[in-house]
Amino acid sequence: DISEDCTSQYEGIIFRPGIPVEARYIHAAAKADAGNPLIEALPLPRTSSKDIRNAYTKPIYGYEFNPSKSKLQAFSEIGLLDGLRFPLPYHQRLEQENYRVLQSAYRLKELMITEKEIISIGAANDMAPIGYSLIGASGSGKSSSLKILLSQYPQVIEHNIKGVGKFFQIVYLIVNVVPNSNFKALYKEIARAIDKALGYSEPF
């Protein structure tokens, strides 16, 4: 079972895009996943109310209540509300669902070792649509929630396993989808996102 008070094994490490983080392994939440490095290198989701509250609460910095403020001062501080964040009812489920999706995807992966490289592959026959949709009105906090959620995960994990070797695991990609574009444009954006995650700065 998932602990009710999860602490990431990467606690204290600052995650930066394009910079891999050395894998740290913990026991998988499900016994069936024991020994799967792609899952055991993932931080567990935040599940307790305390963890959710700490992660998703963002106070207004630089604001001080003062009833004697002038109207101009008060008006000037209205924009500070844009930075205010607090836990919403779906945040706990979002954390759990995101972990479940990663878990399900990595269960279908196998490490193929060749003379030149290590490849993570999945059996096409076993692949099923895995994912979730976060739907809501503009300004309801979807992007902010995802940003806080993904801050729990290193974008790229570097594994170095005895007998297997060194390989990289891309946990997530951020892909900009241009409205009214075609699949070619989408694939180019995915390739750009992969290059950015792996620290390649050459133009695509």
Side-chain angles (χ1 to χ4, degrees):
D1 295 335
I2 296 176
S3 169
E4 287 300 313
D5 192 12
C6 298
T7 300
S8 170
Q9 67 268 42
Y10 300 100
E11 197 76 34
I13 298 177
I14 299 175
F15 303 142
R16 294 186 176 89
I19 301 179
V21 173
E22 185 177 348
R24 294 184 178 182
Y25 304 102
I26 57 174
H27 293 298
K31 291 183 179 179
D33 297 323
N36 186 330
L38 301 176
I39 293 178
E40 293 186 329
L42 294 175
L44 295 174
R46 292 170 280 219
T47 57
S48 71
S49 298
K50 177 183 176 182
D51 288 338
I52 296 295
R53 184 171 60 252
N54 290 341
Y56 288 86
T57 299
K58 303 293 179 183
I60 301 177
Y61 296 102
Y63 174 81
E64 182 180 345
F65 177 75
N66 186 347
S68 63
K69 286 180 182 178
S70 67
K71 290 184 178 180
L72 176 59
Q73 286 178 309
F75 181 79
S76 298
E77 291 179 337
I78 289 177
L80 295 174
L81 290 172
D82 292 338
L84 178 64
R85 298 287 182 270
F86 49 87
L88 297 174
Y90 70 86
H91 283 155
Q92 188 172 49
R93 183 175 178 186
L94 177 63
E95 289 270 343
Q96 295 173 347
E97 192 66 15
N98 187 77
Y99 184 80
R100 184 194 67 80
V101 166
L102 290 173
Q103 209 177 26
S104 299
Y106 288 134
R107 281 173 180 164
L108 299 175
K109 298 290 185 180
E110 292 183 7
L111 299 179
M112 175 182 288
I113 306 172
T114 68
E115 293 181 358
K116 296 182 178 180
E117 59 187 348
I118 301 168
I119 306 172
S120 175
I121 61 172
N125 294 337
D126 294 333
M127 296 300 286
I130 301 172
Y132 59 87
S133 296
L134 189 57
I135 302 172
S138 177
S140 60
K142 301 185 300 298
S143 296
S144 297
S145 296
L146 287 174
K147 185 176 180 180
I148 294 171
L149 168 71
L150 295 178
S151 69
Q152 173 83 341
Y153 296 88
Q155 185 178 25
V156 180
I157 299 175
E158 179 182 332
H159 298 264
N160 196 345
I161 301 175
K162 185 177 181 180
V164 176
K166 178 179 176 181
F167 64 95
F168 296 99
Q169 172 185 0
I170 300 178
V171 179
Y172 66 88
L173 291 174
I174 298 176
V175 179
N176 295 318
V177 180
V178 181
N180 302 318
S181 61
N182 52 32
F183 281 111
K184 181 179 179 180
L186 173 61
Y187 295 149
K188 287 184 71 173
E189 288 302 316
I190 292 174
R192 290 181 196 274
I194 292 174
D195 280 348
K196 185 176 181 180
L198 294 176
Y200 298 136
S201 58
E202 293 295 325
F204 183 77

